[in-house]
Amino acid sequence: MRKSTTFSFLSPFVNNPHLDSMKEDILYHFNLNTGTLNFPAKFGDVKFVCVGGSPWRMKSFAEYIAGELGLAVPNAEYPNICESTDRYAMYKVGPVLSVSHGMGIPSISIMLHELIKLLYHARCTDVTIVRLGTSGGIGLHPGTVVITKQPMDATFLPRFEQVILGKSVVRSTELDGDLAEELLQCGKDLAEFDTVIANTMCTLDFYEGQARLDGAFCSYTEEDKQNYLAKAYAAGVRNIEMESSVFAAMCKLSNLRAAVVCVTLLDRQKGDQLSSSHDVLHSYQQRPQILVGHYIKKKLNASKKS
C-alpha cells in the first residue's frame, strides 16, 4: 500500500491496512468491483475529478467539458458508469471524471470514500478534484462565484468534526491556496461574472442550520438571523453550503489537490427564498462549470506545450 507522511500532491492514497487483505474491493454505492473491472485501464488516465450535487448537473458538465476539450461527437451519448445504481452518477470524458455526490455531508462522505479508493486502485497520479455547487451568499450579488479559501463550521471554526468509535475526531479543512489563486485568475481571464476567494460556511441543515426563517420550525427572530449572518460575514464567510468541510478534510487526508467553487443564488441577508426565474438560476448554475472548464483546458494546453 502506498503511504505518505507529507502533504504532497503526487498521488491519492488510502490509509487503511485492512484493504490489503481483501481479494476484491466492492465500491457498493458505485456498483464497481475491482474483481470484475480493470480499474487502471478504465480510470488510470484521470487527472481531473469534478463533483457536484445532482446527477443531471454532472452529466451536463461532462457534455460541456467534452466540447471544451474538443472531444465532443455529434449526437454522442455519455454513458453513466454507475447506471446500475441510483445512488450516484459518474461520467468520464478523456482525463476528466464527473461524479454526483447528493446533498449534505453524509452523502458526499460516502461518495468520497469510494471515489478515493477508485483513484487508488486505478493508480492515478497528479489528480486535482473540484466541487462545483450552488450556495447562499452573504453580502454578495446573486450569481457571484465563490472560490473557497477555508471551509468553516456553523460556529465559524475551520474544522470538520466527526464521531468515530464514540469519540470526537476533529480534522483540518485546509484547501490548496495556490489552486484557489489559479482558479481566481481563470475568473479574471473570462471576465464574464464576479469571482471572489472567501471563506465558506458548511452546515448540517438547509433550514435552521442556515438561519432560515421559512422552515417547518423556527425558534428565532429576523433580528437573531441578521445578527448571526453578520457574525459570519465578520468571520470572512461569503457563502453557505452543506458539503465543503468534509470534502476539504477528506481530500487533505488523501493528498488530493482540491478546491470548492460555488455560485451564489441569492443574498441571504436579503431573503431566504429564491425569486429569480428558472432561466436566470440556470445561467448562474453554469458559471462554476464554465470557470472550472476553463481551468482544465488551460492546464491541459500547458502540459501539451511543456
Side-chain angles (χ1 to χ4, degrees):
M1 184 179 70
R2 290 166 289 180
K3 294 184 179 180
S4 173
T5 57
T6 61
F7 188 46
S8 65
F9 299 108
L10 295 178
S11 68
F13 74 100
V14 296
N15 186 10
N16 180 1
H18 303 289
L19 294 180
D20 290 339
S21 62
M22 296 169 57
K23 293 182 178 180
E24 60 182 14
D25 189 3
I26 300 171
L27 308 186
Y28 175 73
H29 301 88
F30 287 163
N31 196 30
L32 298 176
N33 187 338
T34 60
T36 57
L37 177 66
N38 186 331
F39 277 55
K42 180 72 173 179
F43 302 108
D45 63 336
V46 169
K47 296 297 181 184
F48 302 94
V49 181
C50 295
V51 303
S54 68
W56 72 262
R57 193 182 301 157
M58 299 323 293
K59 182 179 182 180
S60 174
F61 178 75
E63 294 169 347
Y64 175 79
I65 200 64
E68 287 295 290
L69 300 183
L71 300 175
V73 178
N75 302 316
E77 287 291 329
Y78 297 91
N80 177 8
I81 296 171
C82 302
E83 65 180 351
S84 56
T85 175
D86 61 358
R87 294 297 183 185
Y88 304 106
M90 179 187 297
Y91 304 91
K92 186 176 183 297
V93 178
V96 182
L97 203 60
S98 179
V99 190
S100 69
H101 60 60
M103 180 180 288
I105 286 174
S107 183
I108 191 174
S109 172
I110 294 168
M111 187 280 292
L112 285 172
H113 272 282
E114 298 188 12
L115 174 64
I116 290 164
K117 291 198 296 177
L118 180 154
L119 297 173
Y120 172 75
H121 291 309
R123 306 191 191 107
C124 296
T125 59
D126 302 308
V127 177
T128 297
I129 180 169
V130 183
R131 169 171 136 67
L132 311 174
T134 58
S135 62
I138 302 180
L140 296 177
H141 294 296
T144 302
V145 173
V146 179
I147 302 163
T148 300
K149 177 180 180 180
Q150 180 88 63
M152 294 182 165
D153 65 15
T155 65
F156 320 129
L157 293 176
R159 66 180 185 178
F160 171 65
E161 184 174 5
Q162 182 178 8
V163 176
I164 302 175
L165 299 180
K167 298 179 180 179
S168 177
V169 176
V170 177
R171 289 169 173 162
S172 167
T173 57
E174 178 186 0
L175 290 166
D176 187 271
D178 291 339
L179 176 56
E181 291 292 342
E182 290 179 42
L183 288 164
L184 181 64
Q185 183 58 53
C186 287
K188 294 177 180 178
D189 294 343
L190 292 168
E192 296 179 15
F193 40 77
D194 291 335
T195 305
V196 301
I197 293 179
N199 293 334
T200 295
M201 182 167 71
C202 181
T203 67
L204 302 178
D205 168 53
F206 184 81
Y207 285 98
E208 290 179 292
Q210 296 187 12
R212 277 185 160 83
L213 302 175
D214 60 343
F217 313 103
C218 184
S219 60
Y220 44 85
T221 66
E222 168 76 28
E223 182 180 6
D224 293 333
K225 166 197 163 178
Q226 293 298 340
N227 288 339
Y228 178 70
L229 294 181
K231 290 179 181 178
Y233 189 92
V237 173
R238 295 296 179 271
N239 67 329
I240 310 172
E241 48 85 90
M242 297 173 60
E243 293 86 18
S244 61
S245 63
V246 69
F247 173 83
M250 292 182 70
C251 288
K252 179 169 183 178
L253 286 173
S254 301
N255 289 345
L256 280 164
R257 196 174 192 227
V260 178
V261 179
C262 292
V263 67
T264 60
L265 300 183
L266 77 169
D267 183 349
R268 287 293 319 290
Q269 291 179 315
K270 296 181 179 179
D272 295 330
Q273 297 197 335
L274 296 172
S275 58
S276 299
S277 69
H278 172 79
D279 289 343
V280 169
L281 292 176
H282 181 68
S283 70
Y284 288 167
Q285 291 175 21
Q286 290 179 314
R287 292 179 178 183
Q289 76 175 25
I290 292 171
L291 176 63
V292 175
H294 179 74
Y295 168 79
I296 292 173
K297 186 176 180 180
K298 186 176 180 181
K299 297 296 286 187
L300 290 176
N301 287 339
S303 66
K304 291 177 183 178
K305 296 177 182 178
S306 61

